[in-house]
């Protein structure tokens, strides 16, 4: 790929499809498995799923890292209560480490002010993601989860081409429109020859604390039908849980007692 690549394949005569465009990780890093968490649209709880899955895997005793590739809307440090700035040396950038030992890298850890907007064009943003992979001293990692921005733009393309992604988890919600959007995310991964591990439906139901009944607040789920049409499995259906949302906002995702993705972490690690 040329150094001045704009990531707009329609304007380029190069044949990148036949090349291995993956870039090496930092020389002091050994990352065994990379799983990207994606969504076709925003607001479906993708970062919550990423953080919960990372916490569940760390609780199993695995060495875990999260690369926050959502450059314009980073929220992973917030979920883990990490707000200090990252440091570095001649060897590279040192990731932040959570109380539970999860290593993190996010643009918020490099910004002078967490609320400063990122007003960059797509290729620059995609380049930062590659830098996170190459220049961060991750060390020995069993599982790296990549929290992707929504959609199928520059950053997902860069991650799929540049990182050795072992699989993709697609997060969705019950609304009818999302089935079409989910198909876009799944089809992009398939076009890039990235295995789709399956779908996670968030906001699937609300369980009444008094009677225990489940209520489909956003309408009846179509996840089984959508998954069958796309020929991918359903990995989990997560409830609407205000306590989980509060734990995320308070930076206490690691200590949340009911990790709904503990079973999925076990299956991925099996």
């Amino acid at each position: 790929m040329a150094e001045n690549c704009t990531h707009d394949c329609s304007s380029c005569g190069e044949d990148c499809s036949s090349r291995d465009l993956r870039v090496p990780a930092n020389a002091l890093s050994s990352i065994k498995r990379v799983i990207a968490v994606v969504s076709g649209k925003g607001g479906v709880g993708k970062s919550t799923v990423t953080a919960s899955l990372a916490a569940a895997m760390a609780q199993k005793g695995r060495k875990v890292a999260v690369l926050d590739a959502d450059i314009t809307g980073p929220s992973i440090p917030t979920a883990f209560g990490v707000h200090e700035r990252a440091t570095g040396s001649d060897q590279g950038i040192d990731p932040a480490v959570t109380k539970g030992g999860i290593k993190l890298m996010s643009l918020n850890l490099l910004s002078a002010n967490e609320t400063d907007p990122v007003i960059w064009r797509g290729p620059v943003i995609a380049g930062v993601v590659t830098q996170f992979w190459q220049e961060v001293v991750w060390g020995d990692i069993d599982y790296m989860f990549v929290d992707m921005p929504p959609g199928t733009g520059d950053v997902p393309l860069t991650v799929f081409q540049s990182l050795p992604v072992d699989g993709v988890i697609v997060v969705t919600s019950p609304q009818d429109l999302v089935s079409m959007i989910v198909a876009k995310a799944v089809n992009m991964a398939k076009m890039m020859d990235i295995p789709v591990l399956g779908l996670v439906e968030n906001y699937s139901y609300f369980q009444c604390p008094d009677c225990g009944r489940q209520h489909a607040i956003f309408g009846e789920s179509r996840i089984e039908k959508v998954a069958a049409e796309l020929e991918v499995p359903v990995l989990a259906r997560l409830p609407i849980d205000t306590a989980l949302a509060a734990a995320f906002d308070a930076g206490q995702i690691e200590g949340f007692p009911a990790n709904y993705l503990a079973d999925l972490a076990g299956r991925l690690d099996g």
Side-chain angles (χ1 to χ4, degrees):
M1 184 167 58
E3 292 182 0
N4 61 347
C5 177
T6 64
H7 300 272
D8 181 6
C9 297
S10 64
S11 66
C12 178
E14 297 289 335
D15 180 19
C16 293
S17 61
S18 62
R19 304 180 187 179
D20 185 352
L21 303 177
R22 289 178 294 181
V23 298
N26 181 279
L28 299 177
S29 301
S30 176
I31 302 167
K32 295 178 182 177
R33 195 172 185 195
V34 179
I35 298 176
V37 182
V38 309
S39 64
K41 64 183 290 292
V44 297
K46 171 184 51 60
S47 294
T48 300
V49 169
T50 303
S52 297
L53 192 54
M57 194 65 78
Q59 288 166 4
K60 289 177 55 62
R62 302 296 179 254
K63 298 176 181 177
V64 178
V66 180
L67 190 160
D68 190 352
D70 195 350
I71 302 301
T72 60
S75 59
I76 289 298
T78 298
F80 291 95
V82 175
H83 300 285
E84 67 269 16
R85 298 189 66 186
T87 60
S89 65
D90 292 340
Q91 296 177 325
I93 304 170
D94 296 322
V97 182
T98 72
K99 294 178 181 178
I102 299 173
K103 295 182 178 180
L104 309 178
M105 181 47 60
S106 170
L107 190 66
N108 265 10
L109 302 178
L110 301 175
S111 302
N113 190 328
E114 290 183 353
T115 60
D116 289 343
V118 177
I119 309 175
W120 297 340
R121 294 191 183 277
V124 176
I125 294 173
V128 171
V129 174
T130 305
Q131 285 182 293
F132 284 174
W133 172 255
Q134 289 187 297
E135 298 182 17
V136 173
V137 183
W138 294 104
D140 292 329
I141 297 296
D142 295 318
Y143 290 91
M144 172 180 281
F145 296 97
V146 182
D147 187 34
M148 303 272 266
T152 55
D154 283 322
V155 170
L157 178 61
T158 296
V159 170
F160 289 161
Q161 288 184 328
S162 303
L163 275 61
V165 180
D166 295 287
V168 168
I169 293 174
V170 182
V171 183
T172 181
S173 63
Q175 292 111 314
D176 287 341
L177 176 62
V178 173
S179 62
M180 175 269 292
I181 297 172
V182 169
K184 289 179 180 289
V186 170
N187 289 335
M188 179 183 186
K190 289 181 177 179
M191 290 174 66
M192 302 297 293
D193 292 324
I194 306 295
V196 179
L197 302 178
L199 309 181
V200 171
E201 184 179 68
N202 199 20
Y203 312 132
S204 185
Y205 59 89
F206 172 76
Q207 186 162 354
C208 176
D210 296 322
C211 69
R213 291 183 57 190
Q214 294 183 358
H215 302 273
I217 303 297
F218 293 110
E220 293 300 324
S221 172
R222 298 178 60 250
I223 191 70
E224 298 291 347
K225 179 180 179 182
V226 172
E229 291 173 350
L230 296 173
E231 299 181 326
V232 296
V234 177
L235 300 176
R237 296 178 64 234
L238 309 182
I240 298 170
D241 190 337
T242 56
L244 175 59
F248 186 103
D249 292 340
Q252 299 174 353
I253 197 73
E254 286 176 295
F256 189 70
N259 193 319
Y260 298 108
L261 293 175
D263 179 66
L264 175 56
R267 283 180 280 145
L268 291 176
D269 194 44

